[in-house]
Amino acid sequence: MTAPLDVLVVGAGPTGLALAAQLRAHGSEFRIVDRSLDRVRESRALGIQPRTLEALAGLGVTDRLVARGNPAMQLRLHLARRTVSLPLFDIGLPDTPYPFLLFLAQAETESILGEHLTARDVSVERGIELVGLERQGPHVVCRLRGRDGAEESVAARYVVGCDGAHSTVRARAGIGFEGYAYPQTYLLADLEVEGLEPGAVHSYMTGAGMLFFFPLGSPAPWRMLAMRPSDAPDGEVTLPLLQRIADRYGAKGLLLRDPVWMTDFRLHNRGAARYRSGPFFLAGDAAHIHSPAGAQGMNTGIQDALNLGWKLALVCRGAAPEDLLDTYGIERAPVGRHVRRFTDRAFVIGTSPNPVLRFARARLVPRLAPLAVRATAPRGWVFRAVSELGIHYRRSPVSATGTRPPRRGPRAGDRLPDRPRGLQERIAAPGWHLLLTGPPHLWPDQRLAPVLEGRAELITVHRLDDRGPWPGVAQGLVRPDGHLGYVARGAEPAGLRAYVDRWLPTTVR
């Protein structure tokens, strides 16, 4: 058996790759394995939200994602007698450099993350299946089986299941996966579509259901998503079947051709009973699955990984207490539950055969859709929620406020906004970042020295000559995942000292 690892990452989809990238940035000893022989080649998940782009920027991959993707800014609602153009992410996002939903095939996302790891001497070990887990003292002995049938045993301090809805780690850890399946069957295809305006998302809404076309670019120009009609027999998905469904759902005049991938599937809404069981953790689809409404799934998984990765890395280095790992479930399980509720409601509204909802889709939506263009306040609220910029951890044990909180601006647990523009780029390096705003004379070095003693490797100090995210004099300690851990107004070294003594002990290996 080789020397024990800090972490074994099981699953090399977007969640596992993002976790590996963050572990590598923090210097952890880990391996990442996947039983599949190759990464996905289909589009699968295809929307990257603004918050995910922000979170990945610190790893240096966001610019490449944006360069390969399509920042679609328009939604075309094709109604019975008219087409309504609805701007996407045009309001309510003044504090992010990525005010758009980026359309990019999952295959491309995985490719970019994989290239990032390769450049940092991290190999994704494919064709390796986890077949056993056994706790032995402070480690877990993991049995891995290669494609040739040979087995090896690997000891790891922690094991993270990023291995999808049928997670082996979840099953071996004895964690329940509760929820239900939707009755409908859905069709997916990546293909060419003649007669469809490029550069926008197209939705065809009828009483019978909804049909979507999403701009991809690669591996095909368009992704088609539609519900299989109840009177259409189950069976092989064919191009003639897709064409009939498109015609039936109001997309007459479009010609579908040259599919590169077609499939059907059932949707589930399920969540793990807990995100941690001792040394075992779950992230991404292993922890929660739901409908694709709102492009939340892959994004939630990546943000799971980025929340967990720095905590694992710092605990393994002795730079954080063990109970920091308990905050992973405290912070991320509510997010997973919210996403499941949100996507369930959106899904039911869009697909239910209920007569009231069918009437609303067929009659009310055509009347109300034009008003949505002018209803800037409600659209701003919805877009901000879907973008995941509003996710916060205010009730987390890692979120604390000094005796005098800032009068305005973000609170402890909130994401640090990119205000002024470029602020997040200045704190992109891994680790904690202490932001000090206001006149420099209020922050003499002698006040900070006792707080930072023994922690200079973990905390980078930034004295901002502008007011940063706070209007006035304030201090804020930014966590490695871009959320605020501690905030206070004025000079409060004692409060900051109490916080770092709690969460950043000085023993670092």
Side-chain angles (χ1 to χ4, degrees):
M1 187 182 302
T2 58
L5 302 169
D6 291 334
V7 184
L8 176 67
V9 181
V10 182
T15 300
L17 294 171
L19 176 59
Q22 194 174 58
L23 291 172
R24 180 67 182 86
H26 286 272
S28 294
E29 295 293 332
F30 70 94
R31 288 173 63 180
I32 176 170
V33 301
D34 194 294
R35 62 187 174 189
S36 299
L37 297 177
D38 196 5
R39 63 177 176 83
V40 301
R41 298 295 176 178
E42 308 85 15
S43 57
R44 297 191 184 181
L46 72 161
I48 306 180
Q49 299 289 355
R51 178 57 189 150
T52 304
L53 293 171
E54 284 185 351
L56 290 173
L59 296 174
V61 299
T62 295
D63 288 345
R64 297 179 64 195
L65 293 170
V66 173
R68 290 197 198 179
N70 177 9
M73 300 293 286
Q74 291 285 328
L75 170 66
R76 301 282 192 269
L77 292 175
H78 298 268
L79 307 172
R81 294 184 176 85
R82 62 184 301 184
T83 297
V84 176
S85 296
L86 186 66
L88 292 175
F89 293 92
D90 64 318
I91 53 177
L93 303 175
D95 58 348
T96 177
Y98 313 105
F100 48 78
L101 175 63
L102 182 72
F103 285 96
L104 183 66
Q106 179 177 329
E108 291 295 311
T109 301
E110 292 190 15
S111 175
I112 291 171
L113 289 171
E115 291 165 1
H116 173 84
L117 291 173
T118 299
R120 286 152 182 81
D121 299 321
V122 176
S123 298
V124 178
E125 302 176 50
R126 298 197 176 274
I128 305 295
E129 182 178 7
L130 175 70
V131 295
L133 294 172
E134 181 181 355
R135 298 180 66 172
Q136 293 185 6
H139 297 104
V140 179
V141 176
C142 313
R143 285 195 299 117
L144 305 177
R145 180 182 297 153
R147 67 188 73 179
D148 59 357
E151 293 190 2
E152 67 169 318
S153 293
V154 176
R157 187 169 173 183
Y158 301 103
V159 179
V160 184
C162 305
D163 48 346
H166 303 287
S167 170
T168 300
V169 174
R170 189 184 63 235
R172 297 280 180 174
I175 300 175
F177 201 47
E178 303 155 356
Y180 49 86
Y182 294 103
Q184 302 94 335
T185 302
Y186 292 84
L187 306 176
L188 279 179
D190 293 344
L191 72 178
E192 176 69 76
V193 183
E194 290 186 9
L196 200 59
E197 178 189 356
V201 179
H202 296 266
S203 172
Y204 295 80
M205 184 173 295
T206 68
M210 299 180 71
L211 165 69
F212 289 92
F213 290 100
F214 300 96
L216 278 183
S218 175
W222 295 98
R223 151 71 64 85
M224 175 182 174
L225 170 63
M227 183 172 66
R228 186 191 290 268
S230 57
D231 56 356
D234 291 337
E236 181 183 2
V237 181
T238 64
L239 186 61
L241 172 63
L242 297 176
Q243 185 69 64
R244 289 196 300 271
I245 290 175
D247 293 343
R248 180 172 179 173
Y249 282 2
K252 294 182 178 179
L254 300 183
L255 177 62
L256 312 184
R257 61 180 179 84
D258 299 334
V260 299
W261 178 60
M262 299 181 292
T263 190
D264 58 357
F265 64 99
R266 294 282 297 277
L267 291 173
H268 296 254
N269 189 305
R270 302 185 188 277
R274 55 192 184 278
Y275 282 28
R276 180 189 186 187
S277 178
F280 307 114
F281 295 84
L282 303 176
D285 286 356
H288 42 75
I289 56 173
H290 41 79
S291 90
Q296 302 289 291
M298 181 182 71
N299 293 272
T300 305
I302 289 175
Q303 291 179 46
D304 287 345
L306 299 181
N307 182 286
L308 177 60
W310 67 272
K311 296 175 180 178
L312 286 170
L314 295 187
V315 168
C316 288
R317 294 176 61 194
E322 172 76 20
D323 57 355
L324 177 65
L325 297 177
D326 292 332
T327 68
Y328 169 63
I330 292 172
E331 294 178 352
R332 293 305 298 175
V335 174
R337 289 193 294 269
H338 171 76
V339 169
R340 290 177 59 205
R341 288 194 301 269
F342 167 79
T343 56
D344 180 68
R345 291 169 184 167
F347 180 80
V348 169
I349 291 171
T351 64
S352 173
N354 180 284
V356 175
L357 293 178
R358 286 173 60 98
F359 174 81
R361 292 195 299 265
R363 300 297 180 87
L364 294 183
V365 170
R367 295 176 180 272
L368 297 178
L371 301 178
V373 177
R374 298 191 295 272
T376 56
R379 279 200 298 121
W381 181 86
V382 171
F383 293 165
R384 192 164 192 86
V386 171
S387 72
E388 302 189 347
L389 294 172
I391 291 174
H392 64 79
Y393 309 127
R394 293 177 183 171
R395 298 182 180 179
S396 170
V398 195
S399 301
T401 303
T403 57
R404 295 189 300 162
R407 294 189 181 94
R408 288 181 290 170
R411 296 159 57 183
D414 287 1
R415 144 197 173 268
L416 181 72
D418 195 39
R419 185 185 299 127
R421 184 61 59 93
L423 177 58
Q424 290 181 349
E425 294 180 4
R426 296 163 70 175
I427 61 169
W432 295 75
H433 295 265
L434 178 61
L435 305 184
L436 306 174
T437 67
H441 70 272
L442 293 180
W443 301 107
D445 290 341
Q446 58 267 29
R447 289 193 180 187
L448 289 175
V451 176
L452 301 178
E453 184 178 0
R455 302 178 178 93
E457 179 185 351
L458 301 174
I459 302 176
T460 303
V461 179
H462 304 263
R463 288 179 174 82
L464 305 180
D465 54 7
D466 50 43
R467 294 185 297 176
W470 300 281
V473 178
Q475 58 180 317
L477 189 61
V478 185
R479 304 174 359 169
D481 60 357
H483 286 259
L484 282 161
Y486 175 84
V487 293
R489 178 163 56 93
E492 290 196 17
L496 181 62
R497 176 65 178 265
Y499 183 89
V500 298
D501 283 347
R502 172 69 180 90
W503 295 111
L504 286 80
T506 57
T507 302
V508 179
R509 69 171 173 86

